[in-house]
């Protein structure tokens, strides 16, 4: 619906590609499911390859953000496919499991890879998931937070199960996204994002009528 | 006995995971026997109350309602009955005996007739035996007596390197199937000890689960199969998706056979697809993209040629992003992609006719999505369509029919053709791979290229690259396309010098230039 309103002159609409990365079984798909459908399954099937989802949020009265979300498989060998996900991503959520210290190490290596390889302006958020299992915590909040701030990442501890901080996480990302750039990028030849938008003839008029 | 409809029998095949020793035949397992007979007795009269299909999966999915399922199954059940009678006659006419369990002791030699029978569906309780037979499982079993048991025994006492990954996925394999997770028993809350014998690593990963229902027998079988496989085929080890393949196999056959089928699938049918670098998966996706381009140009224009910067002769090396979806189709044998009955019907053909079936089914899915794909304006919707269309294909028979229909555009894709193309794509990728370490170059280029390069302006790097890229003459536009291409793909690239005889001369400049010509 937000999409439909975007042609009016008082609303801004922007679309961003978001990729989820992190060790397997840290809760990437569950975070997306909570964000997109506000659901949670104690038992989620492991993700093979990739799943694609979208979610639109209203950032404020006049700004609507659509996330194109690529949820990825966590196993190491799928890493060879990862550049295909993140090359044109505007934002990334790197997830670890607060009850698994090793998963933070993995998250750090993803962050490093993104900072080296992905779009220069990519917004990266670090999410320590499974906050509902606080009793089994292995990663201290302060340590992860310190790492995140020195690496320039957004940081949240989340629980896909309880929903805690999930919307907050995605909203914070949305707020950080360069709206002007994104909008203008939609009109002009987009840089990387454009694998998602090859054909700009028709949509340019109807879908990307941002007014900035 | 054989005349009886399978659902009226309490067939041991449908008591999966029900044996402790791999060398013993299946023993009845009360819990699953109950669920099957429950289905038999109440399934039709009380359809809506029964949430499970005959395999123990939930009938309802995000895309199919329980009543849609029941409606479809009402006629499908009759169809299965008819097919079963035909099969029984075929088996008798072939002079094949039936075992005590009512399953034929062998299956008829391959012929046009048998192929047709297979395409129309193998009787459900013969399915495991038929898959095993046509995949030449008995040969593997005969050559390696006792090996499976030795492997899993070893695996249990000293877990393979991949055991932690396996443990993480055991409970994420068909959690919606009653045989994998018995929802009748409420989840035990945290702290339940891991049940893995002899695995210290796994207890760690298990204990992190916040809730864990008691492990079902089929999950225990799954663990043994995956541990044994990871030891037996170390260059593949454990790859996510093998859990689903093994899991489905275990619903249809005993675990030693499931183990050998996993070996056969990964070595014979889908070589390299699950290996550590996933190169086999990439090769198959290259082959699939070639087929899509030839047979479904409308689809190709959206998923391949329409994507900025994808130059046609590089598509097998720089795979279009849609292959992120389609690679999973192959790796998991369409499990989780198609509804389960459609999956097993595809597998019937797959084990009989080899891997060309997966390619043709993938093409069928594209074909069935063609109109929708054609009409999308936002290309991201293409991913959505390609992802959701197959999940709605409940009518297994009509999927198979569309797949093997004459003149559907891909009837020429024989196994020989697939094998040739696999070699071709593999060679090409290898050739290109040794030419350059592309990612480094791509990244260099990425950082050099201004984000909004103005028309007419060409950076030194671009010029240099255009120089590398072109064999003689190349426009700035083309060079930019190539750079774009570098940016987007993950694979090694720069198949710039090699000519590809498979491909016709470029004709897609319309969409390519339409896509990336800078506006204003």
């Amino acid at each position: 619906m937000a999409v439909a309103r975007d042609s009016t002159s008082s609303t801004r609409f922007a679309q961003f590609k978001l990729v989820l990365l992190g060790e397997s079984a840290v809760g990437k798909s569950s975070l997306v499911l909570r964000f997109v459908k506000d659901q949670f399954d104690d038992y989620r099937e492991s993700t093979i390859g990739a799943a694609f989802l979208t979610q639109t949020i209203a950032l404020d009265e006049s700004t609507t953000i659509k996330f194109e979300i690529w949820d990825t498989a966590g196993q190491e060998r799928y890493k060879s496919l990862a550049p295909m996900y993140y090359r044109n991503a505007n934002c990334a959520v790197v997830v670890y499991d607060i009850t698994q210290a090793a998963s933070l190490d993995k998250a750090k290596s993803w962050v490093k890879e993104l900072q080296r390889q992905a779009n220069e302006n990519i917004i990266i958020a670090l999410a320590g998931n499974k906050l509902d299992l606080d009793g089994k915590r292995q990663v201290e909040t302060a340590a992860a937070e310190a790492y995140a701030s020195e690496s320039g990442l957004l940081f949240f501890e989340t629980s896909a199960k309880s929903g805690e901080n999930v919307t907050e996480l995605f909203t914070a990302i949305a707020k950080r996204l360069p709206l002007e750039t994104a909008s203008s990028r939609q009109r002009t030849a987009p840089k990387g994002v454009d694998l998602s938008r090859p054909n700009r003839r028709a949509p340019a008029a109807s879908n990307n009528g941002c007014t900035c | 006995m054989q005349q009886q409809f399978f659902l009226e029998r309490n067939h041991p095949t449908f008591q999966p995971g029900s044996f402790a020793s791999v060398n013993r035949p299946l023993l009845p397992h009360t819990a699953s026997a109950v669920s099957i007979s429950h289905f038999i007795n109440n399934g039709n009269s009380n359809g809506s109350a029964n949430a499970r299909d005959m395999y123990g999966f939930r009938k309802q999915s995000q895309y199919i309602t329980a009543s849609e399922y029941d409606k479809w199954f009402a006629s499908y059940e009759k169809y299965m009955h008819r097919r079963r009678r035909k099969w029984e006659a075929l088996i008798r006419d072939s002079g094949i005996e039936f075992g005590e369990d009512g399953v034929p002791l062998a299956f008829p030699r391959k012929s046009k007739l048998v192929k047709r029978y297979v395409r129309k569906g193998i009787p459900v309780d013969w399915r495991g035996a038929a898959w095993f037979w046509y995949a030449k499982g008995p040969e593997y079993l005969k050559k390696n007596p006792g090996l499976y048991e030795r492997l899993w025994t070893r695996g249990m006492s000293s877990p393979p390197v991949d055991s932690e990954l396996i443990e993480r996925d055991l409970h994420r394999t068909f959690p919606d199937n009653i045989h994998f997770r018995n929802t009748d028993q409420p989840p035990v809350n945290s702290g339940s000890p891991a049940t893995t014998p002899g695995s210290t690593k796994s207890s760690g990963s298990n204990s992190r689960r916040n809730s864990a229902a008691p492990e079902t027998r089929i999950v225990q079988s799954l663990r043994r199969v995956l541990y044994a496989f990871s030891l037996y085929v170390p260059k593949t080890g454990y790859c996510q998706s093998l859990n689903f393949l093994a899991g489905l196999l275990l619903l249809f056959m005993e675990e030693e056979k499931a183990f050998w089928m996993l070996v056969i699938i990964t070595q014979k049918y889908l070589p390299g697809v699950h290996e550590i670098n996933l190169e086999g998966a990439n090769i198959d996706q290259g082959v699939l993209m070639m087929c899509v381009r030839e047979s479904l140009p409308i689809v190709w224009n959206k998923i391949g040629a329409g994507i900025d910067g994808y130059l046609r002769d590089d598509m097998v090396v720089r795979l279009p992003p849609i292959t992120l979806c389609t690679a999973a189709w192959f790796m998991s044998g369409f499990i989780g992609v198609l509804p389960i009955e459609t999956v097993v019907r595809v597998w019937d053909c797959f084990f009989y006719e080899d891997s060309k079936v997966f390619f043709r089914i993938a093409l069928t899915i594209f074909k069935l999505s063609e109109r929708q794909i054609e009409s999308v304006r936002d290309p991201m919707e293409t991913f959505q369509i390609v992802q959701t269309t197959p999940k709605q294909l409940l009518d297994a028979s009509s999927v198979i029919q569309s797949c093997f229909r004459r003149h559907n555009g891909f009837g020429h894709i024989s196994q020989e053709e697939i094998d040739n193309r696999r070699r071709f794509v593999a060679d090409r990728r290898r050739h290109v791979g040794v030419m350059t370490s592309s990612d480094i170059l791509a990244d260099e280029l990425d950082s050099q290229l201004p984000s909004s390069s103005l028309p007419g302006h060409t950076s030194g790097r671009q010029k240099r690259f255009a120089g590398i890229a072109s064999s003689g003459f190349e426009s700035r536009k083309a060079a930019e396309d190539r750079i774009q291409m570098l940016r987007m793909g993950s694979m090694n690239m720069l198949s710039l010098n090699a000519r590809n005889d498979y491909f016709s001369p470029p004709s897609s400049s319309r969409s390519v230039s339409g896509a990336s010509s800078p506006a204003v």
Side-chain angles (χ1 to χ4, degrees):
Chain A
M1 333 123 236
V3 184
R5 282 172 41 220
D6 67 292
S7 56
T8 69
S9 58
S10 60
T11 45
R12 291 190 301 179
F13 173 81
Q15 203 161 322
F16 293 100
K17 177 175 169 184
L18 183 148
V19 59
L20 269 110
L21 299 164
E23 166 108 81
S24 85
V26 294
K28 297 180 291 300
S29 304
S30 294
L31 276 175
V32 181
L33 187 71
R34 175 60 78 190
F35 176 53
V36 174
K37 298 207 177 120
D38 198 19
Q39 291 172 356
F40 179 79
D41 275 343
D42 262 311
Y43 295 86
R44 280 295 289 168
E45 296 204 333
S46 15
T47 306
I48 308 300
F52 174 72
L53 297 96
T54 60
Q55 174 68 315
T56 304
I57 59 170
L59 199 54
D60 55 48
E61 277 179 9
S62 62
T63 315
T64 304
I65 305 271
K66 182 175 178 186
F67 283 111
E68 302 160 350
I69 304 167
W70 282 98
D71 178 22
T72 66
Q75 196 185 354
E76 185 72 23
R77 68 186 65 190
Y78 286 92
K79 213 170 171 179
S80 67
L81 304 175
M84 231 192 290
Y85 302 104
Y86 65 64
R87 270 281 155 79
N88 309 296
N90 308 90
C91 38
V93 178
V94 179
V95 187
Y96 69 96
D97 171 354
I98 63 161
T99 71
Q100 293 292 310
S103 70
L104 180 61
D105 298 334
K106 195 58 158 294
K108 288 178 180 175
S109 79
W110 275 119
V111 169
K112 214 180 278 174
E113 179 163 344
L114 287 170
Q115 289 176 334
R116 238 165 28 103
Q117 315 255 25
N119 278 357
E120 204 181 326
N121 300 320
I122 190 167
I123 312 282
I124 306 173
L126 180 70
N129 194 34
K130 307 199 186 177
L131 191 52
D132 50 288
L133 299 181
D134 205 17
K136 294 179 180 177
R137 178 190 285 278
Q138 284 184 5
V139 178
E140 287 314 316
T141 312
E145 200 165 16
Y147 160 73
S149 81
E150 80 197 30
S151 309
L153 318 175
L154 289 164
F155 174 70
F156 284 91
E157 285 190 333
T158 57
S159 167
K161 187 169 186 170
S162 72
E164 191 172 350
N165 273 342
V166 176
T167 314
E168 288 81 352
L169 164 72
F170 287 93
T171 309
I173 295 168
K175 284 184 177 156
R176 244 326 153 91
L177 286 164
L179 271 180
E180 306 303 318
T181 319
S183 320
S184 59
R185 193 188 275 172
Q186 297 216 334
R187 283 184 308 179
T188 58
K191 196 189 161 192
V193 202
D194 300 326
L195 96 128
S196 49
R197 267 173 235 92
N199 188 339
R200 355 223 83 245
R201 283 160 300 181
S206 65
N207 220 17
N208 303 320
C210 85
T211 55
C212 28
Chain B
M1 182 66 173
Q2 274 89 50
Q3 293 298 329
Q4 266 184 300
F5 184 33
F6 71 93
L7 290 176
E8 288 157 19
R9 299 186 306 144
N10 206 356
H11 197 275
T13 309
F14 280 91
Q15 292 130 33
S18 55
F19 46 100
S21 161
V22 287
N23 291 325
R24 245 188 298 155
L26 291 165
L27 301 170
H29 177 242
T30 323
S32 21
V34 166
S35 74
I36 297 300
S37 56
H38 180 69
F39 172 79
I40 296 159
N41 299 332
N42 304 324
N44 299 318
S45 56
N46 193 14
S48 60
N50 195 309
R52 306 275 174 180
D53 69 9
M54 58 188 151
Y55 309 114
F57 289 99
R58 252 183 249 286
K59 292 176 182 175
Q60 188 177 347
S61 77
Q62 200 189 325
Y63 303 93
I64 295 163
T65 65
S67 66
E68 279 168 341
Y69 183 96
D70 287 334
K71 190 171 167 233
W72 160 77
F73 191 73
S75 66
Y76 191 70
E77 189 177 24
K78 291 183 190 120
Y79 170 82
M80 287 196 297
H81 192 145
R82 284 200 305 278
R83 294 312 307 167
R84 186 187 176 81
R85 285 176 189 281
K86 300 238 182 201
W87 266 99
E88 283 166 355
L90 174 70
I91 296 293
R92 272 195 305 274
D93 294 348
S94 312
I96 296 169
E97 306 261 307
F98 289 88
E100 271 178 33
D101 52 5
V103 178
L105 296 174
F107 284 85
R109 285 172 58 141
K110 290 190 178 183
S111 69
K112 274 197 168 160
L113 177 78
V114 176
K115 183 166 81 177
R116 195 153 52 83
Y117 272 55
V118 169
R119 286 179 178 183
K120 289 185 176 186
I122 297 167
V124 65
D125 56 332
W126 302 1
R127 195 159 253 146
W131 290 351
F132 193 67
W133 179 268
Y134 287 117
K136 300 199 165 55
E139 291 174 20
Y140 286 74
L141 202 56
K142 209 171 151 190
K143 268 188 230 156
N144 304 285
L147 179 60
Y148 172 65
E149 185 155 9
R150 289 198 297 280
L151 284 168
W152 75 252
T153 311
R154 200 171 98 209
M156 291 298 118
S157 57
S158 53
V161 277
D162 286 334
S163 62
E164 193 174 341
L165 285 168
I166 294 171
E167 291 298 330
R168 246 181 249 165
D169 280 350
L170 286 177
H171 303 276
R172 304 201 299 158
T173 308
F174 302 137
D176 276 349
N177 185 294
I178 194 134
H179 304 297
F180 286 80
R181 187 171 64 98
N182 195 341
T183 42
D184 296 343
Q185 292 165 284
V188 178
N189 233 328
S190 58
S192 71
T195 48
T196 324
S199 167
T200 46
K201 275 185 184 171
S202 60
S203 61
S205 44
N206 266 8
S207 64
R208 74 201 245 190
R209 302 188 52 76
N210 55 334
S211 58
E215 204 165 70
T216 61
R217 293 189 184 200
I218 202 165
V219 169
Q220 292 165 358
S221 298
L222 182 61
R223 172 182 292 114
R224 288 189 290 265
V225 169
L226 294 175
Y227 274 43
F229 179 84
S230 143
L231 287 169
Y232 187 62
V233 193
K235 69 178 172 179
T236 297
Y238 173 67
C239 176
Q240 286 190 319
S241 70
L242 292 178
N243 55 327
F244 293 113
L245 298 180
L248 190 61
L249 290 166
L250 284 167
L251 285 173
F252 290 94
M253 62 187 75
E254 55 187 90
E255 67 179 70
E256 183 174 27
K257 288 180 175 171
F259 165 78
W260 286 111
M261 286 297 279
L262 209 55
V263 171
I264 294 167
I265 291 169
T266 52
Q267 295 190 345
K268 208 175 93 187
Y269 286 83
L270 301 173
V273 164
H274 301 87
E275 274 174 27
I276 286 168
N277 59 10
L278 300 182
E279 183 56 8
N282 292 323
I283 291 169
D284 279 359
Q285 293 313 302
V287 173
L288 178 64
M289 291 301 110
M290 288 169 70
C291 297
V292 170
R293 208 192 65 169
E294 286 165 8
S295 305
L296 300 164
I298 292 170
V299 174
W300 173 249
N301 263 334
K302 293 280 182 175
I303 65 167
I307 302 291
D308 285 5
Y310 273 99
L311 298 189
R312 47 207 302 110
D313 56 346
D314 288 307
M315 76 190 197
V316 301
V317 181
R318 305 287 293 178
L319 295 165
I322 196 73
T323 56
L324 290 170
C325 301
T326 51
W329 295 359
F330 282 57
M331 297 181 78
S332 60
F334 295 94
I335 295 168
V337 177
L338 294 165
I340 204 68
E341 183 62 24
T342 313
V343 172
V344 297
R345 290 284 301 277
V346 169
W347 283 30
D348 287 350
C349 305
F350 175 70
F351 290 122
Y352 185 92
E353 299 185 53
D354 210 342
S355 56
K356 70 169 184 194
V357 171
F358 278 8
F359 290 89
R360 290 205 200 175
I361 289 291
L363 289 166
T364 304
I365 294 171
F366 279 121
K367 178 87 184 165
L368 294 171
S369 325
E370 193 171 31
R371 265 198 204 152
Q372 258 186 299
I373 291 175
E374 190 179 11
S375 68
V376 297
R377 295 198 302 189
D378 180 350
M380 287 313 281
E381 284 173 37
T382 309
F383 291 107
Q384 206 98 295
I385 294 165
V386 170
Q387 197 172 259
T388 52
T389 301
K391 296 191 175 169
Q392 299 158 348
L393 300 176
L394 176 63
D395 186 353
S397 295
S398 72
V399 173
I400 299 290
Q401 268 167 28
S402 338
C403 179
F404 295 112
R405 182 179 294 147
R406 275 174 212 273
H407 312 303
N408 65 0
F410 34 89
H412 65 289
I413 298 168
S414 63
Q415 189 61 39
E416 196 188 355
E417 185 68 24
I418 293 296
D419 293 339
N420 284 338
R421 288 180 184 209
R422 276 175 167 169
R423 276 191 294 274
F424 167 79
V425 174
D427 282 354
R428 189 158 176 86
R429 292 178 59 88
R430 222 177 0 249
H431 173 68
V432 169
V434 295
M435 278 173 65
T436 177
S437 167
S438 62
D439 276 344
I440 296 163
L441 178 57
D443 292 326
E444 265 186 312
L445 284 161
D446 235 88
S447 59
Q448 292 290 322
L449 189 68
S451 57
S452 55
S453 45
L454 297 165
H457 170 78
T458 310
S459 71
R461 185 67 69 143
Q462 277 173 284
K463 276 181 195 151
R464 221 176 86 195
F465 181 56
I468 306 166
S470 62
S471 42
F473 172 82
E474 186 169 36
S475 67
R476 189 194 143 273
K477 170 73 197 54
E480 238 179 36
D481 280 348
R482 287 194 194 278
I483 290 164
Q484 190 81 343
M485 186 176 74
L486 292 180
R487 204 183 266 133
M488 273 186 308
S490 67
M491 306 302 153
N492 290 331
M493 48 99 249
L494 233 69
S495 58
L496 303 170
N497 299 335
R499 260 302 288 164
N500 175 355
D501 294 329
Y502 260 95
F503 304 108
S504 48
S507 63
S508 63
S509 53
R510 183 182 51 86
S511 50
V512 170
S513 60
S516 54
S517 63
V520 190

